[in-house]
Amino acid sequence: METYSTFGECLAAILNALDLKCSKLAKEINVDPSLIYKWLRGERVPSYDTTYIEQISNYIANKISNSFQRKAITDLLSGYGINVSEMSNTGLKNKIMMWLQEAQGYSIKLHKKMISEKKYKIDSVPNITNLIKNIDTGTKQNHGKANIMNHDPGINGNLFNDNVQVITGHEEVIYSMLKLLKQAHRKPDSYDDKILITFNSETGILFDDMDLKNKCIHALYCALSHGWNIIFLIRLSNNNQRTIRIIEDLQVLLPHGNLMVYYYHKACDDIFALNDLCIVPHTGALLGFCSKIGQQVDRAFLHHEKTSVDTLTSYFFQQLTFAKPLLKAYPSYKTPEFQQALVEADEIPGDKYVFKNGLSTVTIPLNLYEKYLNLGNRTEQEISYRKFMHKKRLESFESQVKYYEFRDICFIESLEMLVKNKKYTFDEYYMLENRTISNEDIVCHLENLINMLEKYDNYEVAFVSKQDFISLSNICWLVKRNSGVFIETLNNDKLADNNNPEMNFIITEKSIVNAFHDYFLKLWCHIPDKNKDKRNSINYLQLLINKINTEDKTR
């Protein structure tokens, strides 16, 4: 082989040539997607005693199904000096495996050299541990302030007299951010103290390693639980996958209510796109940046001095002047304004996807909806208004379902609770005010849903277990194409706390709406076919009806 390349470079070139996704490859060879990304970035190399390269080669060879793909892979291999004259897929597989194995050996050699050089540099610095301790002690004596310089062993940092730590390496930056956020587990000193975080860089700092990402999200969750307000500033781009990843990370945090999200659009070559900030008041500020445009944040300065933290806080709010609020908040689902917004969205033609703890309200027939309204303590005027709104939503559904897709994802546990306890999970704090309902009403609702599934080809419901969506079980949302995203939080503990009421949000930013649309389809795609097959859904609903009828007969 005339040209030596790293394993990551070779794998990236192959995936790009055949337009293959890392997630599909990860699933095929049974590894976490984060490992694939580490290979691509050169952070890891498959060891000689694994079968990964053979598995990868088999997967790639099996994906070559037409002349265009064959030409793409043969041109790629030829460009690296590999002879690929007419041969079978098996022959191509062997050539690919040979190329990857050569790259594997080359990368392992580079890694060993890098580790050796790094060890030499560390060994050549005498008494570095004592030096750090002396600087730390001197800082405490001179300033009388608490210091958080007891760093994790995995963080590579250099300390200067102005108390700035230089961080190198993608994972090291994340660990530094995680350590900084953990300092916010105590209560904030005042309401004005806010944690400030940006998502500017193209890839971001939370996305690839699932373990580190979950730790960071947990740290944010704990900070919110301790009363901190957090402001996120997100730079949006045309990269829908990036937006979806941000959505996935933020959804679990929304039920707290003390989360503010702003966004702005900037070109990828904007200076803001190269850096990210994480600031915890009175503790520290992490300014991360990418050493290469479009890559992950892999360098950072960690500041602890008040002057530096205040300066970066001012810098954050300068960026905020270019931004708009992403979420329009409503105090609860029952506000007339939120209901009106739902009706207006339903009237705009387009696909509609619903992810909900229970059944969508449009599956409740008008007469049953009115009956439920009458069970609560409402005025005639309110009942009339809400009945009118529900009627308009049903009419919009019926007029559009012939031409657009309507899909719902619903938790099986909510239906089991409906049959067993006679309560709607999604609605017990709103329409029925925690009242139980009759078996007759439940059957009426389920039969209407069966009728909708049988009548409308474009309407589908997938019944899934909450355990498969544990991180999303505290929110419900619907996305209406060309309109908006409606998010309802379902944190029961907060509903009982007057200081933290239920919150609902509307997002109309087009790129976010499109990302939610794609995100729902991504979730739908990963649901097993048996769970979203229309006939299976109808049979399941009929079994529930039969169970209720049997219960009535045995009384």
Side-chain angles (χ1 to χ4, degrees):
M1 182 178 299
E2 297 178 358
T3 305
Y4 286 100
S5 301
T6 66
F7 179 78
E9 290 170 343
C10 294
L11 181 59
I14 293 172
L15 295 178
N16 183 60
L18 296 178
D19 197 23
L20 300 177
K21 294 182 178 180
C22 296
S23 57
K24 295 289 186 182
L25 173 61
K27 185 177 180 180
E28 183 69 22
I29 66 175
N30 195 29
V31 299
D32 191 277
S34 63
L35 181 58
I36 304 294
Y37 289 112
K38 287 178 181 177
W39 287 343
L40 294 175
R41 295 195 303 267
E43 295 174 7
R44 297 278 184 87
V45 184
S47 60
Y48 290 129
D49 58 353
T50 65
T51 60
Y52 288 139
I53 289 182
E54 182 178 359
Q55 290 176 283
I56 293 170
S57 303
N58 282 330
Y59 171 71
I60 293 169
N62 290 334
K63 284 295 180 180
I64 301 173
S65 57
N66 56 59
S67 60
F68 300 100
Q69 290 177 310
R70 177 176 291 275
K71 185 177 187 305
I73 196 68
T74 54
D75 287 349
L76 173 65
L77 295 174
S78 297
Y80 283 86
I82 301 174
N83 183 14
V84 284
S85 55
E86 292 296 325
M87 61 175 61
S88 64
N89 277 15
T90 301
L92 272 178
K93 183 197 79 170
N94 292 335
K95 292 289 185 178
I96 292 168
M97 187 184 304
M98 179 197 72
W99 189 36
L100 290 177
Q101 285 171 340
E102 285 288 315
Q104 175 193 34
Y106 179 59
S107 296
I108 289 175
K109 179 181 178 181
L110 287 181
H111 270 252
K112 288 181 178 179
K113 182 179 179 182
M114 180 183 65
I115 292 172
S116 177
E117 290 176 350
K118 186 175 181 181
K119 182 177 185 302
Y120 172 77
K121 289 180 181 180
I122 293 174
D123 290 343
S124 66
V125 180
N127 301 320
I128 186 67
T129 303
N130 292 332
L131 177 61
I132 293 174
K133 288 181 179 179
N134 291 336
I135 293 176
D136 187 22
T137 304
T139 303
K140 291 180 180 179
Q141 291 174 347
N142 293 332
H143 300 282
K145 298 177 182 178
N147 198 293
I148 60 165
M149 302 302 291
N150 183 22
H151 308 293
D152 288 340
I155 297 177
N156 175 20
N158 299 311
L159 303 182
F160 297 91
N161 291 332
D162 58 352
N163 208 8
V164 177
Q165 181 186 1
V166 180
I167 315 292
T168 61
H170 174 62
E171 289 188 1
E172 285 73 13
V173 173
I174 298 179
Y175 274 119
S176 297
M177 178 184 176
L178 179 60
K179 189 174 182 66
L180 185 60
L181 289 173
K182 285 182 177 180
Q183 306 301 314
H185 285 192
R186 55 176 176 78
K187 291 184 178 180
D189 293 339
S190 71
Y191 178 79
D192 292 333
D193 288 340
K194 294 177 174 62
I195 296 173
L196 311 174
I197 300 175
T198 67
F199 284 99
N200 285 325
S201 59
E202 188 59 29
T203 307
I205 58 178
L206 296 179
F207 298 146
D208 293 331
D209 191 300
M210 290 299 296
D211 181 57
L212 287 179
K213 180 174 75 170
N214 290 336
K215 287 178 179 178
C216 286
I217 292 175
H218 179 71
L220 291 168
Y221 184 91
C222 290
L224 290 167
S225 299
H226 282 81
W228 283 91
N229 289 285
I230 299 179
I231 299 179
F232 280 105
L233 176 58
I234 301 172
R235 182 187 66 86
L236 295 180
S237 66
N238 295 324
N239 187 343
N240 259 17
Q241 289 302 313
R242 174 181 179 273
T243 305
I244 288 173
R245 286 169 172 176
I246 294 175
I247 289 169
E248 289 177 324
D249 294 339
L250 295 187
Q251 280 186 116
V252 71
L253 305 175
L254 284 178
H256 282 276
N258 46 339
L259 180 71
M260 292 160 279
V261 184
Y262 294 83
Y263 75 96
Y264 68 101
H265 288 278
K266 286 286 181 180
C268 288
D269 59 351
D270 187 90
I271 188 64
F272 288 166
L274 301 179
N275 65 66
D276 271 304
L277 268 173
C278 176
I279 302 174
V280 177
H282 314 300
T283 303
L286 183 75
L287 174 60
F289 56 94
C290 310
S291 59
K292 296 181 180 179
I293 295 177
Q295 300 299 313
Q296 293 174 315
V297 170
D298 59 357
R299 301 288 189 275
F301 297 117
L302 180 56
H303 300 262
H304 301 295
E305 293 297 331
K306 183 179 185 303
T307 302
S308 298
V309 175
D310 290 346
T311 300
L312 289 172
T313 299
S314 297
Y315 175 60
F316 177 94
F317 283 106
Q318 286 177 16
Q319 293 188 47
L320 202 61
T321 60
F322 296 96
K324 300 177 182 178
L326 181 64
L327 305 166
K328 183 176 181 180
Y330 292 83
S332 83
Y333 181 84
K334 61 185 177 184
T335 57
E337 295 82 5
F338 193 79
Q339 292 287 310
Q340 179 66 36
L342 278 172
V343 172
E344 291 174 355
D346 280 342
E347 290 177 334
I348 298 175
D351 301 334
K352 180 179 176 182
Y353 301 142
V354 179
F355 182 95
K356 201 159 190 178
N357 196 19
L359 297 173
S360 170
T361 50
V362 296
T363 63
I364 305 177
L366 186 60
N367 60 335
L368 183 60
Y369 189 85
E370 182 180 13
K371 181 178 179 180
Y372 286 164
L373 289 173
N374 282 305
L375 291 176
N377 297 320
R378 294 179 176 84
T379 64
E380 288 296 327
Q381 183 180 3
E382 183 182 357
I383 292 173
S384 176
Y385 172 76
R386 294 195 180 280
K387 178 183 175 183
F388 171 72
M389 291 292 191
H390 190 66
K391 182 180 178 182
K392 292 188 72 173
R393 294 188 70 192
L394 296 183
E395 289 172 348
S396 296
F397 171 86
E398 190 164 359
S399 64
Q400 295 182 41
V401 73
K402 302 172 187 177
Y403 311 104
Y404 299 98
E405 283 186 344
F406 284 72
R407 292 177 176 177
D408 298 347
I409 297 176
C410 173
F411 291 153
I412 291 174
E413 290 84 353
S414 66
L415 290 182
E416 292 175 347
M417 190 183 108
L418 176 62
V419 172
K420 181 179 179 181
N421 300 333
K422 319 304 178 199
K423 291 182 180 180
Y424 287 98
T425 302
F426 73 90
D427 220 11
E428 59 187 19
Y429 291 96
Y430 160 53
M431 189 165 62
L432 291 170
E433 297 176 350
N434 211 19
R435 287 177 169 83
T436 59
I437 55 179
S438 68
N439 280 339
E440 179 185 359
D441 293 335
I442 298 173
V443 170
C444 175
H445 188 176
L446 298 183
E447 286 182 340
N448 184 66
L449 178 53
I450 290 176
N451 181 60
M452 292 171 66
L453 289 169
E454 292 178 334
K455 184 177 180 180
Y456 305 114
D457 292 337
N458 286 339
Y459 180 54
E460 299 174 271
V461 180
F463 293 110
V464 300
S465 173
K466 184 182 294 188
Q467 296 301 317
D468 295 329
F469 296 87
I470 194 67
S471 64
L472 306 180
S473 60
N474 280 337
I475 67 168
C476 299
W477 50 271
L478 69 85
V479 54
K480 187 67 186 289
R481 195 68 180 266
N482 306 321
S483 178
V485 181
F486 297 78
I487 301 173
E488 177 186 1
T489 62
L490 294 174
N491 193 318
N492 292 349
D493 292 336
K494 289 193 172 296
L495 290 171
D497 184 350
N498 292 330
N499 294 323
N500 295 285
E502 173 190 2
M503 293 298 296
N504 297 275
F505 307 93
I506 295 178
I507 302 173
T508 56
E509 162 57 35
K510 186 175 180 181
S511 62
I512 297 290
V513 175
N514 290 337
F516 260 96
H517 180 274
D518 294 345
Y519 180 50
F520 182 95
L521 293 178
K522 173 186 170 183
L523 294 177
W524 186 271
C525 181
H526 285 85
I527 295 173
D529 290 340
K530 63 180 181 180
N531 290 69
K532 56 191 177 187
D533 178 79
K534 183 171 286 195
R535 178 45 53 189
N536 286 347
S537 298
I538 292 173
N539 291 340
Y540 172 66
L541 293 169
Q542 190 60 55
L543 284 174
L544 294 177
I545 293 173
N546 295 340
K547 183 177 180 179
I548 294 171
N549 291 334
T550 302
E551 177 185 320
D552 286 340
K553 290 179 181 179
T554 56
R555 285 182 177 177

